[in-house]
Each structure stands twice: as C-alpha cells, then as structure tokens.
C-alpha cells in the first residue's frame, strides 16, 4: 500500500462525488459560489481528517456493536467544533453555508471512511486517506461551483466577470445544480469510455 | 447483560468526553460570539438611524426590544428616531430586518439582519454591488469600495411608512430613478426575486403596524 | 386563523420548499432507491414516519434540555444521536408489532440515519424559530410530516420516470447517473413553478 496510491484514489478512481456518488447534498447545495465550495472543502476535510485519526486510534478499544454510535459521536463532535469556530471567527461563512455545516455529520463520506478505512488501518495511512478523499470531494465541488458562479451570476469570488452581461440565473438555483452535475458526470463517462477504447 | 453494561459505559464515556471538549471550546469562543453579535447590532443601528445617538433601549410587551434615539437638527430642534426589529417569511426561511423611522413614520433606513434567500437572486438584497470586475481585482486596479450599503436597502430611505409601499420592476436601483420612486413611495424589485422583495416590504410594514402606536404617543 | 399557518407550512414544505428538489437535501436515498416504484414508496413512507417522530422528539430535547440549560451548541451532536436511536427503536418496534410492515419498510430504516433530510428537518425546525413559538410542537410536527410527504412525492415521481427510462434509447455515456441528474434538474425546474404561489 503506497502513500501516493492511497492519496490519489480519492481524487480520481474513488472520487466521492463523481464515482461513488456520496456527499451529494452539500455538493449540490453549497456550490453557488467558489468561495462557499472552498470553505466546504476545508470544513469537510478537517472533520474527515480528525475523525479518521481518532477512529484509527480507538479502533481496538471499541466493541464492534457500539462502533457506529461511537463513530457518529466522534464525527458530530468535530462538526460542532467547526460550527463554533466558524461562528466566532468567520461569521459570514457561517451564515452563507447555513445548515450545511451541521449537516456535515450526515455526509455519508465521513462515516464511510471511518468504517471502511480508518477502523482497519493505522493513523498515518488514515490521514493520507482523509486528505485524498477530502480534497477529491472539494475539487469536484469547486469545479461545479466555478460553472455555476460564472454562468449563473457572472461572477467569480463575488466579483463581476463581464460588465453588463445578463447571467443565466437558473444556474444558481437547484435545477442548475442538478443539470450541471449531470453534464459533468456525462463528460467524465465519455472520457472514461474513450480511454478504455485505446 | 455484562455486554450491555460495558457498551453503555463506553458510549457514556465517549459522549462525556465529547461534551466536555465542546463545552471548553464554547467557553473559549463565547465572548467573541457575543462581541460579534453586539457589534452587528451597533452597525445595524448606525445604518437605520444615521446621525442619531441612542438614548434608550426599551422593550415592548416584555419581549421585543426597540430603541429610541435623538438627533439635533440644523435649527437646533431635537428630532426623535425609533428603531425596531421585524420578521417575515421570505422565499426560503425567515427574514429579519431592523427598521429606523422618525416620529412622522418616515423610514430613515433599513438593515437586513438575517436572511437565507437564494444566492444570486434574493440574497442580492444584502449584497453591495462591486464597482470593480474580477479582472480589476487580479490586475490590482480595484481600490476601496465607496458604497457601504446595498442598493436594495438604500432605496427605502425617506419613504413614507404611513402609506403602503408599492413594488415596481425597474431593475437595479440607481440614482436617476431615486426621485421618481420616492414620489410614488415605491421600491424597485430585485430581478428574479420578487418574493424576497415582497417579503422585505411585508416585514417593514408589519413592523410599522406594530410600533406605530408607540411612536405616535 | 391558526389552521392557515399549518396549511401554509404543510404546503410550502411539500411543494415550494420541497426538501429534495428545491433544497437538495436527502439526495443520496433519492437517487439510490428511486429505481423501482415499490421500493420508492417503502422508503418514502419510512421517511415520513421517522421525520415526524424525529421532529417531535427533537422539539422536546431542544426546548426542555438544550435551551433550558443553555447548551444549544450541543445541538448537532444531540440531534444526530437522537435520530440514530429513534431509527433503531422504530425498527425494533415495527419488527415486534407488525412483521408485515417490517418486511415492507425494514431494509430502508437503517439507511435513514444518514439521510440528511431527517437531520435537516430537525435543524430547520430550530432555525425557522418554530420551537420557541406558541404552537411550536404542532408546527414542528407539521413541518416534519410535510417534509416527509415532499420526499415521498419526489421519490415517486422520479421512480416513475426512471422505470420508463429503462426502455428509452439513451446515449451510452449518459446512461445511469448523468441522465438521472438531468431529469432531477428538470423536475426541480418544474417545482420552481410553485414558488410564485403565496397565501
């Protein structure tokens, strides 16, 4: 098991959003702007890394049948840490991510990694896995947010791109999110199939 | 039975540690959060009652807070101003705004304290339109923004609170349409977010209804 | 009258602010179990059930424990543990009381813990200020129930379309997830039409 392989699997082969199809709620909901997507990536990666570290440390002490409740408690604790810290030091981010901060708890990706990876591997590998998965998740969100923000609001990081250009507002609301992600998946499938042919 | 005891103990210990950790983090950040809240209130009061000094904080019906402020006018008279908070449901969730009026119920300013409207549409009610484009920012030609207040909130200034406020669809507000809107006691809706606009107007009218009796005293 | 408030909440959680199609909550089960109409209905009813109960219980927890002792910051951790336990209890209770119902809903129940719409409705009950208002308990119940019905509706619509898609001629690369997302987008576009309605 190489570090490089474990890190890059989260970015490409096992990308949580594009390949495994998990963590979709935040992916669709907070991608109205690139800065929201980046903050979501930071928050999720932080929670994922901390929970992976802790889970891999306590994996031998916790009896099998209380495993899931303990994991959920660990994850919820770190999510609350993120919640409190954002509220105190980044109130604007806190309001713009809104209920999707507490909802990081139910991002299946985090519980999934705790169960599938961290409870079976050492601390170091768990960190590598968490970073790869978190960044893979975040990059997908950023790409999605890039399309939605530029096309839907004619903006990037809150600044207008082309003055006087009327953007397609539909991209900033839910339908735009679904359709953009659908098209991204289509593009990815097409690339995959054409690669296989060669 | 022994298994259950062991599992319960482990769960209890884990949750106890978790709550202790969170309690300490909360204790560390509590003051800062409270400070941010009071700062936010202070800023909002400065926006809705420009130039006024707060002389009294009162409560109506033992629950909702409102502020009484005073200002010296040019000819030496003391003008009274009032600020209060009102709520209404918007497109997605509650909108809370603070409204400042004088004794004749002329709106001096409004400030939206809380909203969860759609980014790019309803949320534009709290956005200050930047004069600069993204390219200006990366090339470094962008300077400080002159504007401090979102245009949507600015257009409520000097409207009459005792008459109904109507909504017109004229696109983004600018200085040229200001006089015309003021004459007809109307505001320009945010493009694509009529519901948000209506909700904010409802919020203001609701607040005015509630407090007009107190202000007229 | 008060009844109007409840009807407004019910209508807006089902149609205007549909949890799946306009707030993008609960997408994983929405895509996961919408292949067949039967399982979609099973999942939908299980969600209605859990959401209503979770709304009621989190109401009491929030109002009488978290608010009273000023430990609101423990909200997330308390809610998720409560929801996880409710799901477990409901599963056990159904198993004992009605084996028929258990066979229909049983396999969906464990999936509900990580359905973010359930935690979402609990958190939104708090955020929309229902808990501190006069008819708080009824309002949270109606919102929980409405959110569940909205979820069921979205799931049924989607599964109906997906069953027909099986026989449709779709480009190879668009099959599966991509076309499902695009259809969800179109459905969500249709639901935006409800937004103009007001009371």
């Amino acid at each position: 098991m190489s570090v490089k392989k474990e890190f890059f699997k989260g970015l490409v082969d096992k990308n949580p959003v594009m390949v495994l199809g998990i963590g979709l709620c935040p992916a669709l909901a907070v991608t109205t702007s690139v800065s929201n997507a980046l903050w979501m990536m930071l928050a999720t990666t932080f929670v994922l890394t901390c929970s992976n570290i802790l889970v891999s440390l306590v994996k031998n002490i916790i009896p099998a049948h209380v495993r899931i409740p303990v994991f959920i408690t660990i994850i919820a604790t770190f999510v609350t840490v993120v919640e409190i810290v954002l509220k105190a030091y980044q109130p604007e981010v806190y309001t713009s991510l809104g209920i999707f901060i507490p909802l990081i708890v139910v991002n299946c990706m985090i519980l999934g990694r705790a169960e599938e990876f961290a409870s079976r591997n050492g601390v170091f590998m768990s960190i590598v896995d968490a970073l790869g998965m978190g960044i893979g998740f975040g990059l997908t969100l950023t790409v999605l947010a890039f399309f939605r923000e530029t096309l839907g609001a004619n903006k990037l990081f809150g600044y207008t791109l082309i003055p006087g250009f009327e953007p397609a507002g539909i991209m900033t609301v839910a339908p735009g999110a679904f359709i953009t992600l659908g098209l991204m998946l289509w593009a990815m499938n097409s690339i995959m199939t054409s690669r296989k042919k060669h | 039975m022994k298994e259950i005891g062991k599992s319960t103990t482990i769960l209890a210990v884990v949750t106890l540690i978790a709550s202790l950790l969170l309690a300490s983090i909360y204790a560390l950040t509590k003051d800062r959060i409270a400070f941010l809240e009071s700062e936010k209130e202070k800023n909002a009061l400065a926006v809705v009652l420009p130039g006024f000094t707060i002389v009294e904080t009162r409560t109506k019906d033992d629950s909702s807070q409102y502020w009484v402020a005073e200002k010296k006018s040019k000819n030496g008279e003391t003008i009274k101003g009032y600020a209060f908070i009102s709520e209404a449901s918007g497109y997605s969730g509650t909108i809370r705004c603070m409204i400042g009026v004088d004794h004749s119920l002329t709106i001096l300013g409004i400030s939206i304290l809380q909203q969860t409207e759609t980014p790019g549409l309803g949320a534009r009610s709290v956005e200050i339109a930047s004069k600069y484009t993204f390219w200006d920012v990366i090339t470094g030609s962008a300077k400080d923004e002159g504007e401090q207040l979102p245009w949507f909130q600015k257009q409520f200034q000097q409207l009459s609170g005792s008459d109904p406020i109507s909504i017109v669809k004229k696109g983004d507000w600018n200085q040229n349409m200001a006089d015309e809107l003021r004459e007809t006691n109307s505001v320009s809706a945010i493009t694509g977010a009529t519901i948000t606009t209506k909700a904010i107007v409802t919020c203001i009218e609701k607040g005015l209804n509630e407090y007009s009796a107190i202000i007229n005293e | 009258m008060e009844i109007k408030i409840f009807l407004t909440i019910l209508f807006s959680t089902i149609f205007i602010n549909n949890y799946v199609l306009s707030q993008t909550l609960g997408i994983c089960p929405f895509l996961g179990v919408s292949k067949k109409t039967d399982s979609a209905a099973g999942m939908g009813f299980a969600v209605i059930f859990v959401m209503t109960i979770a709304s009621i219980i989190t109401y009491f927890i929030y109002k009488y424990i978290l608010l009273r002792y000023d430990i609101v910051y423990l909200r997330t951790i308390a809610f998720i543990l409560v929801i996880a336990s409710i799901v477990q209890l409901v599963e056990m209770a159904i198993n004992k009381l009605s084996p028929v119902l258990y066979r229909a809903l049983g396999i969906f129940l464990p999936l509900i813990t990580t359905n973010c719409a359930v935690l979402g409705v609990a958190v939104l009950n708090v955020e929309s200020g229902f808990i501190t208002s006069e008819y708080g308990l009824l309002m949270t119940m109606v919102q929980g129930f409405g959110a569940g019905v909205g979820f069921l509706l979205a799931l049924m619509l989607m599964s109906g379309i997906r069953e027909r898609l099986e026989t449709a001629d779709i480009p190879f690369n668009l099959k599966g997830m991509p076309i499902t997302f695009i259809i969800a987008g179109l459905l969500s576009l249709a639901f935006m039409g409800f937004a103009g309605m007001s009371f």
Side-chain angles (χ1 to χ4, degrees):
Chain A
M1 185 162 39
S2 78
V3 175
K4 206 174 145 195
K5 201 183 124 214
E6 287 303 318
F7 182 76
F8 281 101
K9 73 164 192 252
L11 268 64
V12 190
D13 296 342
K14 281 192 176 175
N15 186 299
V17 179
M18 301 293 278
V19 183
L20 304 179
I22 51 178
L24 291 171
C25 302
L28 293 169
V30 303
T31 48
T32 46
S33 71
V34 175
S35 62
N36 273 358
L38 290 172
W39 277 107
M40 193 63 186
M41 160 157 138
L42 200 66
T44 312
T45 311
F46 171 79
V47 175
L48 183 57
T49 314
C50 294
S51 84
N52 259 13
I53 293 174
L54 213 61
V55 165
S56 103
L57 284 175
V58 298
K59 62 177 186 281
N60 297 324
I61 320 169
I62 307 294
H65 53 279
V66 287
R67 206 180 58 234
I68 300 290
V70 170
F71 291 173
I72 291 180
T73 315
I74 291 174
I75 296 167
T77 311
F78 288 116
V79 170
T80 315
V81 171
V82 169
E83 216 179 335
I84 297 174
V85 170
L86 281 182
K87 194 174 180 184
Y89 296 98
Q90 290 290 338
E92 276 171 23
V93 177
Y94 178 78
T95 34
S96 79
L97 291 181
I99 68 158
F100 286 92
I101 303 172
L103 289 185
I104 296 174
V105 178
V106 278
N107 187 333
C108 342
M109 180 178 84
I110 299 174
L111 189 62
R113 289 333 282 170
E115 173 82 354
E116 199 181 302
F117 197 91
S119 61
R120 289 176 199 162
N121 290 286
V123 176
F124 179 68
M125 273 307 184
S126 299
I127 297 177
V128 174
D129 174 74
L131 289 178
M133 281 287 171
I135 292 169
F137 170 76
L139 282 182
T140 319
L141 257 67
T142 312
V143 174
L144 184 52
F146 175 79
F147 286 121
R148 288 184 68 192
E149 195 180 2
T150 49
L151 298 175
N154 183 23
K155 281 178 178 173
L156 202 58
F157 292 105
Y159 291 100
T160 312
L161 283 176
I162 308 163
F165 176 75
E166 189 64 47
I170 193 75
M171 294 295 281
T172 54
V173 282
F178 281 114
I179 293 171
T180 316
L181 190 57
L183 294 176
M184 275 168 69
L185 287 166
W186 185 14
M188 192 195 64
N189 278 356
S190 309
I191 295 168
M192 292 285 188
T193 10
S194 70
R195 253 199 210 158
K196 265 180 213 152
K197 276 177 194 158
H198 294 297
Chain B
M1 244 10 233
K2 214 183 141 212
E3 268 299 280
I4 295 178
K6 196 186 164 200
S7 315
T8 320
T9 325
I10 288 179
L11 263 181
V13 168
V14 169
T15 37
L16 188 71
I17 296 172
S19 358
L20 284 178
L21 177 79
L22 291 178
S24 49
I25 290 181
Y26 174 72
L28 283 176
T29 54
K30 197 172 63 183
D31 293 339
R32 196 176 151 82
I33 292 173
F35 169 74
L36 286 176
E37 288 288 311
S38 72
E39 199 68 357
K40 202 175 154 190
E41 192 182 283
K42 223 189 277 170
N43 289 339
L45 280 171
V47 166
V48 302
L49 293 172
F52 282 78
T53 33
I54 307 294
V55 288
E56 207 182 337
T57 307
R58 293 189 204 159
T59 49
K60 173 180 157 286
D61 307 334
D62 293 326
S63 57
S64 18
Q65 215 180 26
Y66 70 99
W67 295 265
V68 181
E70 276 175 2
K71 179 170 109 169
K72 285 262 183 292
S73 72
K74 277 173 197 153
N75 43 24
E77 281 173 78
T78 312
I79 313 172
K80 270 198 165 179
Y82 302 86
F84 48 86
I85 292 171
S86 174
E87 283 181 4
S89 46
Y91 178 71
S92 55
T94 317
I95 296 177
R96 262 168 71 97
C97 48
M98 192 190 266
I99 304 131
V101 292
D102 66 7
H103 58 92
S104 62
L105 288 183
T106 302
I107 298 172
L108 299 172
I110 68 154
S111 171
I112 295 165
L113 302 175
Q114 185 199 324
Q115 54 84 30
T116 47
E117 303 298 287
T118 320
L121 297 170
R124 283 182 55 212
S125 58
V126 293
E127 272 171 23
I128 298 166
S130 178
K131 287 198 294 266
Y132 302 102
T133 62
F134 183 67
W135 317 115
D136 290 334
V137 178
I138 30 179
T139 51
S141 58
K143 309 255 166 10
D144 276 349
E145 304 284 349
E147 199 59 64
Q148 290 298 320
L149 204 60
W151 65 261
F152 183 77
Q153 297 180 30
K154 201 175 175 184
Q155 60 178 344
F156 282 94
Q157 289 173 358
Q158 301 307 324
L159 291 189
S160 160
S162 40
D163 302 320
I165 298 167
S166 47
I167 298 167
V168 290
K169 290 181 184 171
K170 288 198 170 227
D172 287 11
W173 180 88
N174 56 47
Q175 204 61 52
N176 298 335
M177 60 170 91
D179 291 331
E180 197 194 325
L181 286 175
R182 206 158 285 161
E183 266 166 37
T184 51
N185 210 40
S186 47
V187 288
S188 181
I190 302 164
T191 317
T194 323
I195 298 177
T196 307
T197 313
K198 264 187 201 155
I200 294 168
V201 170
T202 314
C203 182
I204 293 167
E205 289 182 336
K206 214 171 109 189
L208 283 165
N209 272 337
E210 267 176 51
Y211 286 91
S212 58
I214 298 172
I215 293 163
N216 283 333
E217 259 172 28
Chain C
M1 240 316 272
E2 279 73 33
I3 192 83
K4 200 184 156 196
I5 306 174
F6 300 123
L7 283 178
T8 313
I9 297 174
L10 190 66
F11 194 82
S12 78
T13 41
I14 298 176
F15 297 105
I16 305 173
N17 287 327
N18 186 292
Y19 273 48
V20 180
L21 294 172
S22 77
Q23 309 213 36
T24 60
L25 290 167
I27 300 296
C28 299
F30 172 67
L31 296 172
V33 283
S34 62
K35 282 198 186 104
K36 288 260 152 22
T37 317
D38 301 345
S39 49
M43 181 68 173
F45 283 111
V47 167
I48 295 182
F49 198 59
V50 173
M51 270 185 173
T52 316
I53 298 178
S55 293
I56 300 169
I57 298 183
T58 50
Y59 169 83
F60 286 110
I61 302 254
Y62 192 81
K63 188 162 185 184
Y64 295 107
I65 300 178
L66 299 183
L67 264 186
R68 175 156 301 173
Y69 298 103
D70 201 19
I71 44 170
V72 183
Y73 58 91
L74 290 179
R75 182 183 73 184
T76 311
I77 198 164
F79 282 8
I80 188 68
L81 288 178
V82 164
I83 290 169
S85 336
I86 293 171
V87 173
Q88 282 285 315
L89 281 175
V90 167
E91 195 182 346
M92 285 191 269
I94 294 185
N95 194 6
K96 272 262 155 49
L97 297 172
S98 160
V100 183
L101 196 62
Y102 185 75
R103 246 171 281 144
L105 304 184
I107 50 161
F108 302 110
L109 284 168
L111 288 174
I112 294 177
T113 313
T114 49
N115 180 344
C116 59
V118 180
L119 183 63
V121 77
V123 174
L124 278 173
N125 280 336
V126 175
E127 304 262 302
S128 39
F130 284 179
I131 293 196
T132 45
S133 66
E134 199 183 347
Y135 300 100
L137 180 59
L138 268 174
M139 280 161 104
T140 50
M141 260 173 75
V142 171
Q143 173 141 305
F145 178 75
V149 175
F151 185 81
L152 172 74
L153 179 69
L155 216 58
M156 294 300 282
L157 284 173
M158 194 68 194
S159 62
I161 298 173
R162 279 180 84 174
E163 276 187 350
R164 279 169 183 72
L165 272 186
E166 299 276 300
T167 52
D169 185 21
I170 305 162
F172 177 73
N173 290 323
L174 203 57
K175 268 187 188 148
M177 276 304 185
I179 189 72
T180 315
F181 270 106
I182 290 169
I183 288 168
L186 296 175
L187 268 180
S188 143
L189 196 60
F191 267 70
M192 275 187 79
F194 288 114
M197 304 180 87
S198 60
F199 291 90

